[in-house]
Amino acid sequence: MKLIRRLPDRSACALFVGHNPGFEDLLGRLTGSHERMPTAALACIECDIDHWDDMGDKKGRLVWLLTPKQLDAYGE
C-alpha cells in the first residue's frame, strides 16, 4: 500500500507484477473481493480516488480477473 500511495498523481494508471500470497491479499484489501489468483493471473481494479495518496482499503472495484486457462481459451 505504501508503494501505491507514493505513485505520482500525473500517472492515471499503474501496472503491478508480483507473487502470491501478496497479490491475492492486495486484491482483497483494495476491493474487498476475495478471489483466487493462480500464477500468471491478471486483474483490473478501478479506483475512485483523486490522488494515489488517497488509496485505502476497499477504495477499488474489481473490473475483471483473467486466469491463464481463460486466456488460453481465447487462443483456441
Side-chain angles (χ1 to χ4, degrees), residues 12 17-18 20 24-25 29-30 32-34 43 47-49 55 62 75:
V17 178
N20 271 328
E24 284 181 5
D25 293 343
R29 191 167 171 192
L30 293 177
S33 177
H34 300 285
C47 305
D48 188 22
I49 56 172
M55 182 56 76
L62 180 61

Side-chain angles (χ1 to χ4, degrees), residues 34-68:
H34 300 285
E35 303 288 334
R36 184 174 173 278
M37 291 188 71
T39 300
L42 304 170
C44 178
I45 301 170
E46 285 185 348
C47 305
D48 188 22
I49 56 172
D50 292 323
H51 306 279
W52 288 109
D53 191 41
D54 297 334
M55 182 56 76
D57 292 351
K58 298 182 183 178
K59 295 268 184 151
R61 178 180 67 86
L62 180 61
V63 177
W64 49 258
L65 180 104
L66 291 174
T67 65

